[in-house]
C-alpha cells in the first residue's frame, strides 16, 4: 500500500478557517487527518477538536488526496467518542468546482474530536454511503465488491446494516462514492435501499471522487428494521 498527502479546510461560524494536512496517509486504512503545521498554521499536528475546541464548523472544502490519480478518498467525517457527528465532502486535488461546501448541520468542536478519512488506491472498489437523518444523526456504510453480486453496505463502526443502525429514521441528505461506474448498473449506477420485502424505497447514484468533488444530495428515504443498502454489481 502506498501513502498519499491529504488536505482540507474547515470553515467556522466566526470566520476561523482550520487547515488540515497530513503528508503521508496510508491507503486502505481509515486515518486521523490532523491540523496542519505548515507555515506554523498550528504549533503541532493535533486532532481538530483538541486544537480548536469551541469553534463551530459550518462548512468544509472537499477532503482531498494529492491528485496523482492513484489514490482517492472514499469518505470523511468528524468522530466524537465513537460516534459520527458530521460527514465531510471528499474529492481529488485539482478536480473540484466548489471550495466551500455547507455541512448538513453545524458542529461545535470538543476536545478529542477527530477528522477521519478513508483513502483508497484508485483500483479499490469500496462503495460508501454517507447519510444525514431527519433526527440529526449521521452515519456511513460501506462494502467492497469483488465480483458480480448483491453487496450489502454495513456500518463502518459496527458492521451492522442500515436497517439495524437507523430503524425509524429517514435519510434526508447523502453522498455515495465508488469507482465501479457501469458495474453498478443493476442498482441504478449506485445504491438501492430496499425494505424487508425487497421493494426499493430509495436510490442514490454513486460518484467517483477521482473525477468530481462530492456534494450532499437531498433525499427522503425511510429506514425500517431489516432494510438494506445494496450495491448490486454486474462483475
Amino acid at each position: 500500500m502506498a501513502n498519499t498527502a491529504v488536505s482540507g479546510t474547515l470553515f467556522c461560524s466566526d470566520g476561523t478557517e482550520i487547515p488540515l494536512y497530513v503528508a503521508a496517509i496510508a491507503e486502505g486504512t481509515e486515518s486521523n487527518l490532523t491540523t496542519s503545521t505548515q507555515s506554523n498554521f498550528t504549533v503541532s499536528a493535533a486532532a481538530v477538536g483538541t486544537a480548536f475546541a469551541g469553534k463551530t464548523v459550518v462548512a468544509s472544502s472537499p477532503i482531498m488526496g494529492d491528485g496523482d490519480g492513484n489514490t482517492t478518498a472514499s469518505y470523511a467525517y468528524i468522530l466524537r467518542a465513537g460516534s459520527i457527528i458530521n460527514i465531510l465532502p471528499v474529492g481529488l486535488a485539482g478536480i473540484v468546482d466548489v471550495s466551500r461546501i455547507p455541512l448538513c448541520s453545524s458542529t461545535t468542536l470538543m476536545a478529542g474530536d477527530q477528522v477521519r478519512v478513508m483513502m483508497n488506491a484508485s483500483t479499490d472498489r469500496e462503495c460508501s454511503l454517507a447519510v444525514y437523518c431527519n433526527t440529526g444523526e449521521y452515519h456511513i456504510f460501506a462494502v467492497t465488491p469483488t465480483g458480480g453480486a448483491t453487496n450489502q453496505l454495513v456500518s463502518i463502526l459496527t458492521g451492522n446494516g442500515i436497517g439495524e443502525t437507523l430503524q425509524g429514521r429517514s435519510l434526508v441528505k447523502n453522498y455515495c462514492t465508488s469507482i465501479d461506474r457501469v458495474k453498478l448498473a443493476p442498482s441504478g449506477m449506485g445504491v438501492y435501499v430496499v425494505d424487508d420485502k425487497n421493494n426499493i424505497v430509495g436510490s442514490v447514484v454513486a460518484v467517483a471522487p477521482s473525477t468530481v468533488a462530492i456534494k450532499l444530495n437531498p433525499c427522503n428515504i425511510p429506514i425500517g428494521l431489516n432494510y438494506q443498502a445494496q450495491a448490486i454489481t454486474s462483475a
Side-chain angles (χ1 to χ4, degrees), residues 6 9 26 28 31 37 56 68 73-74 78 86 119 127 136 143 150 158 162-164 180 202 204 206:
V6 181
T9 307
S31 302
T37 59
T56 298
D68 63 4
S74 183
I78 302 176
N86 219 313
M119 302 301 298
C127 177
V143 68
T150 297
T158 67
I162 197 169
E164 296 170 278
D180 268 351
V204 182

Side-chain angles (χ1 to χ4, degrees), residues 35-215:
T35 59
S36 174
T37 59
Q38 296 294 306
S39 302
N40 295 317
F41 290 137
T42 59
V43 174
S44 60
V48 66
T50 301
F52 289 92
K55 296 294 184 180
T56 298
V57 179
V58 296
S60 175
S61 73
I63 305 300
M64 294 172 286
D66 59 15
D68 63 4
N70 296 318
T71 307
T72 61
S74 183
Y75 56 78
Y77 64 96
I78 302 176
L79 177 72
R80 174 181 296 164
S83 296
I84 298 169
I85 61 169
N86 219 313
I87 52 177
L88 304 175
V90 295
L92 187 70
I95 306 177
V96 295
D97 59 357
V98 178
S99 297
R100 177 184 172 122
I101 299 174
L103 302 182
C104 299
S105 65
S106 61
T107 293
T108 300
L109 298 173
M110 297 174 57
D113 289 354
Q114 298 180 17
V115 171
R116 304 286 292 175
V117 61
M118 173 61 89
M119 302 301 298
N120 289 323
S122 60
T123 56
D124 191 309
R125 295 179 60 184
E126 182 174 46
C127 177
S128 73
L129 176 65
V131 303
Y132 175 59
C133 299
N134 62 327
T135 54
E137 297 168 85
Y138 293 88
H139 215 85
I140 299 174
F141 303 87
V143 68
T144 301
T146 57
T150 297
N151 308 277
Q152 182 186 180
L153 283 75
V154 297
S155 165
I156 63 169
L157 299 180
T158 67
N160 294 329
I162 197 169
E164 296 170 278
T165 306
L166 297 177
Q167 179 186 5
R169 289 81 151 177
S170 292
L171 312 184
V172 293
K173 286 191 177 180
N174 69 75
Y175 70 74
C176 180
T177 65
S178 172
I179 66 165
D180 268 351
R181 302 175 188 265
V182 73
K183 291 179 181 177
L184 286 168
S187 52
M189 300 296 182
V191 169
Y192 280 153
V193 179
V194 299
D195 66 15
D196 54 353
K197 298 179 177 61
N198 208 41
N199 298 306
I200 298 169
V201 297
S203 61
V204 182
V205 172
V207 172
S210 58
T211 61
V212 66
I214 299 303
K215 298 175 183 176

